[in-house]
Amino acid sequence: MHVLIVEDEASLAKELVHFLSQEHYKCDWAATGRDASEKIAVNLYDFILLDLGLPDYNGLTLLQEARQLDHEPAILILTARGSLEERIEGLDLGADDYLPKPFSLLELQARMQAVLRRKFKIKSSVLAFHGLELDHSTRRVTHQATEISLTKKEFDLLHYLLLHKNRILTRLQLTEHIWGNLLEDDYDSNYIDVHIKNLRKKLAAYITDEWLETVRGVGYRLTT
């Protein structure tokens, strides 16, 4: 998952980046609203952690900008501004959840997972497809209790495809999810194609029917 952390407190932002990176998220940090606005306009984020108390920008305005995007990132407000009216306004403008400061990093992670389950309409960390099971919490993929060895990037790629099953994902979307920000000239490289090829090869021993469609000139679609 590609996450934008919008936070003007450098120590907290660095702590968030360190923690979430260890939990296999790709993180960008914006210390100002202007920087965040520019990043949101050009990058495909899965999650935005938004501090409303920015020095140069109204956090709620930034929330409105993010909600106008086509790909609809999940948004979680992190702020010390805890009035009931502000919480209601933030949720009314499209935030998916609200976490007042100070907060536990473990609670933040739990809230993020809960938001993702609601967004993708899944009930647990285990996703089943074509006789296989992917457990996001343990980062294991199994077939009848036999674990299938995947690299970190292969796991992340399969997980992302499963969350968006039966939808076409472009190479740009997949690249930003796996590698984070890249120069535009790089997005159409063969990073994704190489990992897709390896993934198909590793799962071929367990899945006999076609599970991943190549959409020529666009990207890929996992079918169920």
Side-chain angles (χ1 to χ4, degrees):
M1 292 286 164
H2 194 190
V3 179
L4 175 64
I5 299 167
V6 186
E7 174 58 64
D8 62 324
E9 295 181 37
S11 59
L12 176 57
K14 291 177 181 176
E15 188 177 6
L16 288 170
V17 169
H18 178 70
F19 174 76
L20 293 175
S21 298
Q22 287 187 318
E23 297 300 321
H24 308 287
Y25 293 93
K26 301 292 296 184
C27 297
D28 290 344
W29 170 35
T32 66
R34 189 177 302 280
D35 185 24
S37 180
E38 292 175 356
K39 282 183 164 63
I40 288 171
V42 300
N43 298 312
L44 301 175
Y45 291 108
D46 301 298
F47 235 113
I48 297 174
L49 304 182
L50 175 62
D51 177 18
L52 294 183
L54 299 169
D56 64 331
Y57 220 84
N58 186 323
L60 294 176
T61 300
L62 197 59
L63 173 58
Q64 289 178 301
E65 292 179 18
R67 274 292 164 253
Q68 292 173 358
L69 301 173
D70 292 335
H71 65 281
E72 298 182 350
I75 301 175
L76 203 159
I77 294 176
L78 308 174
T79 185
R81 294 164 56 180
S83 75
L84 177 61
E85 291 76 13
E86 286 176 324
R87 277 182 276 172
I88 291 174
E89 187 174 5
L91 294 171
D92 283 345
L93 288 174
D96 295 281
D97 202 355
Y98 175 94
L99 189 58
K101 296 179 181 177
F103 53 81
S104 156
L105 292 175
L106 292 177
E107 181 180 2
L108 170 64
Q109 184 188 25
R111 296 266 190 137
M112 291 174 70
Q113 291 301 315
V115 168
L116 291 177
R117 285 196 297 274
R118 289 198 300 272
K119 179 178 180 179
F120 294 105
K121 298 180 174 58
I122 54 179
K123 296 181 179 178
S124 76
S125 63
V126 179
L127 301 174
F129 71 108
H130 295 273
L132 274 59
E133 289 188 344
L134 180 149
D135 188 335
H136 180 245
S137 64
T138 61
R139 295 184 64 84
R140 297 174 73 237
V141 176
T142 58
H143 175 261
Q144 298 178 351
T146 299
E147 183 170 357
I148 302 172
S149 178
L150 300 180
T151 66
K152 176 184 180 300
K153 286 186 168 48
E154 289 165 357
F155 182 94
D156 290 341
L157 182 57
L158 181 60
H159 182 225
Y160 200 69
L161 286 164
L162 264 173
L163 288 177
H164 297 84
K165 62 185 180 182
N166 301 315
R167 289 178 52 190
I168 298 173
L169 294 176
T170 67
R171 285 180 173 80
L172 175 59
Q173 288 174 303
L174 293 170
T175 300
E176 288 215 4
H177 170 68
I178 302 299
W179 276 272
N181 295 335
L182 291 173
L183 294 175
E184 290 186 0
D185 291 344
D186 287 340
Y187 88 86
D188 61 347
S189 69
N190 66 348
Y191 297 143
I192 291 300
D193 297 324
V194 170
H195 282 77
I196 287 289
K197 179 182 178 181
N198 292 339
L199 203 49
R200 277 178 162 145
K201 185 177 180 180
K202 288 186 177 181
L203 300 189
Y206 306 95
I207 304 177
T208 55
D209 49 343
E210 181 59 40
W211 62 277
L212 185 62
E213 177 187 357
T214 300
V215 182
R216 186 180 295 276
V218 181
Y220 298 93
R221 173 167 49 199
L222 188 151
T223 57
T224 58

